[in-house]
Amino acid sequence: PRDRKRRQEEEEEEEEAAAAAERPRRPLSRRGPAPGRIAPYLEAVLSPTKLRPMATVLMCRRLPGLSRVTAFSTTAKRKAERGSSKSKKEKPDEPGAAKAGSQSGATIQLLKPQDYRVLYNPAAYAKGRAGSQQHVDRDSSQALGDTFTGPGTAQALQTFPAASSQALAPVRNALPKSSTLLEETVLATPYKEEAEKDKREVHDSKEDPRMFQKGRPEYRALTCDSAEPAQPLPAQEGDSILQSVAGCEGSPGILMDHFLKLSRLPAERRAPLLSDPRFGALCHRAVTAIRLFSTPDLIHILKACVPLAVPASHPLLNACEAEFCRRAWDMGLEQLLLVADCWRCLDRSVPSYLGILFSYANLHWKDLTLPQFVQLLYIIGEGRRSPADLAQKVESTILKHLDAFTLEELGAICLGLFKSLSGISEHVMRRIADRVSLQMEDMSTYALVNVLKMLRYTRMDHLPLMRELGRVIPARIPATNIQGIMHITLTYSSLHFFDEDVLAAVATSLPSKVSYCRSKDAAKFLWSFGCLDYEPPNEEEFYSSLIKQLHAKLHEFSRFPEHLLTALLGLAFVKRFPEELIDFALRKEFVQKTRGSKYELNKDLFTLGKSVEIECLTYQGSRLTPQLCQEFTEMVSGFAEREIYVRPEIVEATSLLESMLGGPEYVKNHMILPHTRSSDLEVRLAADGRPIPFNFKDPVTARKLKDVGISLTDDLMSQLIQGRAHNPSPTEVGKEARIPRQERGDTTGTPCLGGALSAGATSQAEPKAGLWQPGQVRLALQVSNRNHFCYGSRRLLGLHCLKRRQLRLLGYVVVEIPFWEWFPLLKRTRSEKLSYLHYKVFCPALLTRAA
């Protein structure tokens, strides 16, 4: 038997080598040997039958004319073959194209004898590199702290193109003279997409959401167990089964038994079955006899297809889906859920079947057990479908079983609702958050992140949960995978909740994990930190690593333009402008992609483009056209007239200022910077403190107005003095509202009214300084509300920090009218409100400096 097996293996090797010689392959070198000479050698070396289970390292001898040999993973061979047709058009200077005459060899390392994988990293062969290194991370953390993966799983850290060092400078005025880096990155797209499949963190998107099924034995009847069989079938029996298929027709029971036995073969013997004609004949007979199978037998066949890894588009699965849809109303809920779980394990989209399942569940809702309900929500989430008629029933059932759910089941419920975009009332979400906040330490990180997703989706503040999260989560960050960390960080920024301990833990762990970031992850990290206006202690390392990752993922932004704008806005909030990426984002081609996106990106594009104009005076790259800026301005202005200018706190402040200063000509309620999407009350003062009229609807008929003011009587002075004694001074308010860090570049002038520059302070970014007289003061009064600040604090959010910074650069004095002072005054007397506004406008320190 050993001799027969050896001969059989040798015959298989010869057949594989012959087939590989005929298969078209991508040229590995422009002037190297023909693909037909190299492919058989590689196929023979990489053949599974040649790689014995032994801990050894194989060194390929240098082939004549072969500069670099890319080692393909045998598990990804089919993907490599599909990509070979595209690579035929490869240009000599593209990344991945080898140069003739190079003397480097290739190394194939046996990473794990029983489950080996050869690392494939074409991005490492980019233009201009003399060689490559493959770094193996054997200590990859479990996905979200819960994922169980096989030992020895290897991850290759990504090799990034070197970003311009200028692009990482504090002021970030750094557009390179050439766009070589961007061109190389875009040209390397096909190779990067293939390489990134082997550069993802240890994470199973199919298994992680199913961890809740381990908590109750009832789930065994509702789910398909994809684990290895407890008693695998000997490999020899697989051949005898396939031989018997050719010899007899077989009854439905025998056919079903064949599928069950084949599914118990060892993994290495199951993989070649799909290309075996005898297995194809077995599937054909099952399709022919599909209506003869009993429902339990048909379910057994579908379950057997999971370990056999039958492709989602296989004819057998087509026939099974049609038959299950036909039989669905005669099946039980347990069977329907089991079949739906099988479809999920097979990664097959079955909208018709799910529609029947949801209708059936709606009719039999009262019969649902707790495990069936959780499994149904899991299926709803994985199918990305939200049946509207079930929403009310789902909420009532959650409340009914809330105390009986395990913590993992609560996480599964939240994930199902989040993935299916199902709305949930604040009352139900608050009840879930109440329980989680009391038992958070006993909850897995994966389940906890799922609860945070739903908390973010409902935009509900829950202080006890967020405080407990700040106590529990920092220690878990190093063991959490990158997507979990992203969702945690995004929860804080979406809810405007600032917790320095959590953000610092994220910033510390991120640089070592940044290679696992998708374009979406990198963008959300930058947005979150920018939104909360937080620069961590390792800010240079943190931001430089993420900017490099943006360069590495540049090819993804053609499909997801929203991610690049999100990232660049987050950087702009903290005064970082990588101009090479900005130039890419403002190019005509990219702008067209944003216009065609399913998301509303015009406002983000407008904010980015105008911010670059104000803050990056040396920028020489692409810009938004004047026509586009005008269109965006009109769009934002229309929104402001409907939603912002009419807010009671702004209307009241405008009316009082008009009466105090002498009329509507002295105050203008508008957006000085339309791209910042919030209003300003503009007031102008002469050097002697007199208000200056400027708000004329018709400049031609502008008339000289009589000076009107308020007499400083003893009563008014008494109110001002008392008000100052009981309320924080403007300078104190500014200190509380200012961010902890010192804004880079804002060093001229003396802080006043929340850190504003004095009117006489010169600014290099003041293009319109000649439009008003020297000594004249332009005030930009900011009537703020809670949405401008972090939750429960006086810390401005990133967009509003950006706005105030740019107003100062343009020569305005920013005057804060914070909500914690103004809103209580709205309920007080008119004279008290006038006294408050009078002090804000005629600040003694401001007038002294102006004089």
Side-chain angles (χ1 to χ4, degrees):
R2 286 196 296 269
D3 293 340
R4 283 200 304 271
K5 184 176 180 180
R6 188 181 302 109
R7 285 196 300 271
Q8 183 179 355
E9 290 175 351
E10 292 172 354
E11 291 172 0
E12 290 176 355
E13 293 166 11
E14 293 172 359
E15 291 174 0
E16 256 187 78
E22 297 173 359
R23 188 183 303 127
R25 306 288 288 185
R26 176 170 66 88
L28 296 178
S29 176
R30 190 181 179 192
R31 297 195 183 98
R37 292 175 54 192
I38 302 173
Y41 184 86
L42 288 178
E43 291 292 337
V45 172
L46 299 178
S47 172
T49 56
K50 281 291 187 183
L51 291 171
R52 302 294 183 187
M54 60 180 69
T56 183
V57 176
L58 303 178
M59 297 294 295
C60 295
R61 296 187 60 185
R62 189 177 300 117
L63 299 179
L66 179 60
S67 60
R68 296 183 180 104
V69 179
T70 303
F72 286 84
S73 167
T74 56
T75 59
K77 186 168 65 175
R78 293 179 181 274
K79 298 179 183 178
E81 290 169 3
R82 287 197 299 268
S84 63
S85 60
K86 295 182 181 179
S87 60
K88 290 181 180 180
K89 299 180 182 180
E90 180 185 19
K91 297 179 182 180
D93 293 335
E94 287 180 349
K99 294 182 180 181
S102 176
Q103 298 300 317
S104 60
T107 302
I108 301 175
Q109 183 178 4
L110 192 59
L111 298 174
K112 179 185 176 187
Q114 65 270 27
D115 185 21
Y116 67 90
R117 181 168 67 174
V118 181
L119 297 184
Y120 165 47
N121 185 12
Y125 297 88
K127 175 182 176 182
R129 296 185 184 276
S132 67
Q133 292 181 345
Q134 293 180 337
H135 305 282
V136 180
D137 179 15
R138 299 181 182 273
D139 298 322
S140 299
S141 60
Q142 293 178 347
L144 297 179
D146 295 333
T147 304
F148 299 97
T149 56
T153 304
Q155 295 294 327
L157 297 181
Q158 184 153 356
T159 304
F160 303 103
S164 170
S165 59
Q166 289 180 325
L168 309 179
V171 182
R172 286 73 188 169
N173 296 334
L175 185 68
K177 296 182 179 179
S178 66
S179 57
T180 306
L181 172 60
L182 293 179
E183 292 173 357
E184 287 186 356
T185 306
V186 175
L187 287 174
T189 298
Y191 309 105
K192 287 179 178 292
E193 290 177 346
E194 192 72 22
E196 285 160 7
K197 295 176 183 178
D198 284 338
K199 289 176 176 56
R200 294 171 184 168
E201 212 165 12
V202 180
H203 174 63
D204 192 332
S205 61
K206 290 184 181 179
E207 288 302 318
D208 291 338
R210 303 167 65 85
M211 295 305 296
F212 72 95
Q213 297 170 353
K214 313 297 182 186
R216 296 181 191 268
E218 294 90 339
Y219 286 111
R220 295 174 186 169
L222 306 174
T223 59
C224 177
D225 187 5
S226 58
E228 289 294 320
Q231 296 180 344
L233 197 71
Q236 294 80 359
E237 289 196 31
D239 290 330
S240 63
I241 292 172
L242 294 175
Q243 289 295 343
S244 66
V245 172
C248 63
E249 289 294 329
S251 65
I254 294 176
L255 293 176
M256 183 267 295
D257 188 61
H258 288 342
F259 277 101
L260 291 181
K261 289 182 177 179
L262 291 176
S263 68
R264 291 170 49 204
L265 286 172
E268 63 274 11
R269 300 298 297 174
R270 292 197 303 265
L273 283 179
L274 295 175
S275 58
D276 194 315
R278 296 171 297 179
F279 182 75
L282 176 63
C283 293
H284 177 72
R285 290 182 181 175
V287 171
T288 304
I290 196 75
R291 295 206 173 185
L292 301 178
F293 290 104
S294 66
T295 299
D297 286 351
L298 194 59
I299 292 176
H300 282 307
I301 291 177
L302 188 63
K303 289 179 66 176
C305 290
V306 175
L308 289 172
V310 176
S313 58
H314 197 279
L316 175 61
L317 299 186
N318 295 339
C320 286
E321 181 186 354
E323 187 62 17
F324 279 121
C325 287
R326 190 181 69 85
R327 300 186 188 191
W329 290 103
D330 298 323
M331 297 166 60
L333 187 56
E334 187 175 276
Q335 290 177 320
L336 289 171
L337 290 172
L338 174 57
V339 171
D341 198 62
C342 290
W343 292 130
R344 170 56 190 151
C345 293
L346 289 165
D347 203 19
R348 180 181 172 93
S349 176
V350 286
S352 298
Y353 179 84
L354 292 182
I356 297 172
L357 169 63
F358 299 152
S359 298
Y360 189 102
N362 194 24
L363 291 176
H364 299 82
W365 193 263
K366 293 182 179 179
D367 301 330
L368 279 175
T369 64
L370 185 151
Q372 289 174 344
F373 170 73
V374 179
Q375 181 67 14
L376 177 64
L377 282 186
Y378 164 74
I379 295 298
I380 288 175
E382 297 305 307
R384 267 54 172 193
R385 294 192 58 191
S386 176
D389 53 348
L390 294 183
Q392 189 61 41
K393 294 181 178 179
V394 166
E395 289 200 4
S396 60
T397 307
I398 291 175
L399 294 176
K400 175 183 175 182
H401 297 295
L402 185 60
D403 294 331
F405 291 128
T406 66
L407 294 172
E408 300 306 306
E409 286 173 334
L410 276 179
I413 290 170
C414 288
L415 182 61
L417 295 172
F418 178 79
K419 283 186 174 182
S420 60
L421 301 179
S422 301
I424 185 174
S425 68
E426 181 176 332
H427 172 67
V428 175
M429 191 64 233
R430 193 167 294 279
R431 290 286 305 277
I432 293 175
D434 286 341
R435 185 175 170 205
V436 170
S437 63
L438 296 175
Q439 299 178 278
M440 189 177 295
E441 286 189 341
D442 301 326
M443 197 173 195
S444 71
T445 307
Y446 184 81
L448 178 57
V449 168
N450 292 336
V451 173
L452 295 181
K453 290 178 183 178
M454 203 59 201
L455 192 73
R456 188 177 81 229
Y457 183 74
T458 56
R459 299 198 66 82
M460 190 194 76
D461 59 312
H462 193 281
L463 198 55
L465 185 143
M466 297 304 293
R467 285 176 174 168
E468 183 69 7
L469 185 67
R471 188 183 67 84
V472 171
I473 207 64
R476 297 192 187 186
I477 291 294
T480 304
N481 84 333
I482 202 69
Q483 292 183 32
I485 299 175
M486 181 271 288
H487 282 293
I488 292 169
T489 310
L490 190 58
T491 299
Y492 278 89
S493 64
S494 297
L495 300 180
H496 297 171
F497 199 94
F498 179 79
D499 190 313
E500 187 169 7
D501 291 339
V502 174
L503 296 178
V506 170
T508 301
S509 298
L510 191 63
S512 62
K513 296 172 175 278
V514 76
S515 60
Y516 301 124
C517 281
R518 304 166 296 174
S519 58
K520 176 181 178 180
D521 300 324
K524 297 300 184 184
F525 280 122
L526 290 171
W527 169 266
S528 297
F529 276 68
C531 177
L532 296 174
D533 193 43
Y534 177 68
E535 295 197 52
N538 62 332
E539 59 178 284
E540 289 305 324
E541 180 189 22
F542 174 80
Y543 282 110
S544 64
S545 64
L546 283 171
I547 291 174
K548 285 182 180 180
Q549 188 70 352
L550 292 181
H551 281 274
K553 298 291 182 180
L554 199 66
H555 58 280
E556 294 184 10
F557 296 130
S558 296
R559 289 185 296 165
F560 308 107
E562 64 274 9
H563 296 334
L564 181 57
L565 291 182
T566 296
L568 293 178
L569 276 181
L571 287 167
F573 291 162
V574 291
K575 205 176 181 182
R576 292 174 181 268
F577 296 93
E579 296 188 3
E580 191 176 67
L581 293 172
I582 292 172
D583 174 62
F584 183 83
L586 297 182
R587 290 178 186 175
K588 181 179 178 180
E589 301 80 11
F590 189 85
V591 171
Q592 285 300 114
K593 291 184 181 297
T594 65
R595 305 276 278 173
S597 172
K598 62 181 180 179
Y599 300 101
E600 172 53 56
L601 302 178
N602 292 336
K603 294 179 181 178
D604 292 344
L605 197 63
F606 189 33
T607 302
L608 177 65
K610 299 303 288 186
S611 295
V612 170
E613 287 185 16
I614 295 173
E615 300 202 52
C616 301
L617 298 183
T618 60
Y619 175 75
Q620 299 296 323
S622 304
R623 296 181 184 271
L624 297 178
T625 63
Q627 296 82 0
L628 207 55
C629 290
Q630 180 63 28
E631 176 188 338
F632 292 161
T633 301
E634 293 174 357
M635 173 190 66
V636 173
S637 299
F639 172 79
E641 290 175 359
R642 296 189 307 270
E643 302 291 339
I644 300 177
Y645 300 154
V646 296
R647 291 175 180 169
E649 66 273 16
I650 295 178
V651 172
E652 180 77 356
T654 304
S655 175
L656 290 169
L657 285 170
E658 288 175 355
S659 64
M660 182 179 76
L661 298 175
E665 295 83 1
Y666 291 89
V667 183
K668 188 172 184 180
N669 179 11
H670 69 132
M671 290 186 292
I672 299 174
L673 302 176
H675 63 278
T676 59
R677 313 169 212 168
S678 56
S679 69
D680 312 90
L681 298 180
E682 184 175 355
V683 175
R684 300 184 187 179
L685 302 176
D688 58 359
R690 291 181 299 104
I692 301 174
F694 68 97
N695 184 24
F696 303 111
K697 295 182 180 179
D698 186 1
V700 177
T701 60
R703 69 189 190 283
K704 184 177 180 181
L705 299 174
K706 183 176 67 174
D707 291 337
V708 178
I710 293 179
S711 301
L712 293 177
T713 64
D714 293 339
D715 291 339
L716 181 55
M717 289 299 297
S718 175
Q719 290 179 9
L720 289 174
I721 295 172
Q722 290 177 1
R724 186 170 184 179
H726 293 289
N727 296 321
S729 69
T731 304
E732 292 170 347
V733 171
K735 289 180 179 178
E736 291 175 349
R738 283 169 65 189
I739 53 180
R741 63 179 175 82
Q742 295 295 324
E743 292 181 343
R744 291 183 295 270
D746 295 343
T747 56
T748 59
T750 304
C752 176
L753 300 176
L757 295 179
S758 64
T762 58
S763 172
Q764 61 178 351
E766 189 178 315
K768 301 180 181 179
L771 296 182
W772 65 85
Q773 299 176 358
Q776 190 178 111
V777 182
R778 284 193 170 189
L779 304 182
L781 283 79
Q782 308 296 305
V783 183
S784 62
N785 60 58
R786 287 177 176 83
N787 291 334
H788 296 176
F789 297 85
C790 292
Y791 179 86
S793 75
R794 300 179 181 183
R795 182 189 186 90
L796 273 173
L797 295 173
L799 177 62
H800 302 285
C801 288
L802 173 141
K803 175 186 176 178
R804 285 151 177 74
R805 184 174 72 233
Q806 292 178 4
L807 284 171
R808 291 165 189 151
L809 287 173
L810 293 176
Y812 285 88
V813 175
V814 178
V815 179
E816 288 287 351
I817 303 181
F819 72 90
W820 58 84
E821 293 178 356
W822 183 238
F823 280 36
L825 277 174
L826 293 177
K827 301 177 183 179
R828 308 295 290 271
T829 64
R830 178 181 174 83
S831 62
E832 288 178 297
K833 289 182 279 192
L834 284 171
S835 299
Y836 175 82
L837 291 175
H838 189 278
Y839 182 80
K840 285 290 185 179
V841 173
F842 300 103
C843 172
L846 172 63
L847 296 178
T848 301
R849 287 198 304 275

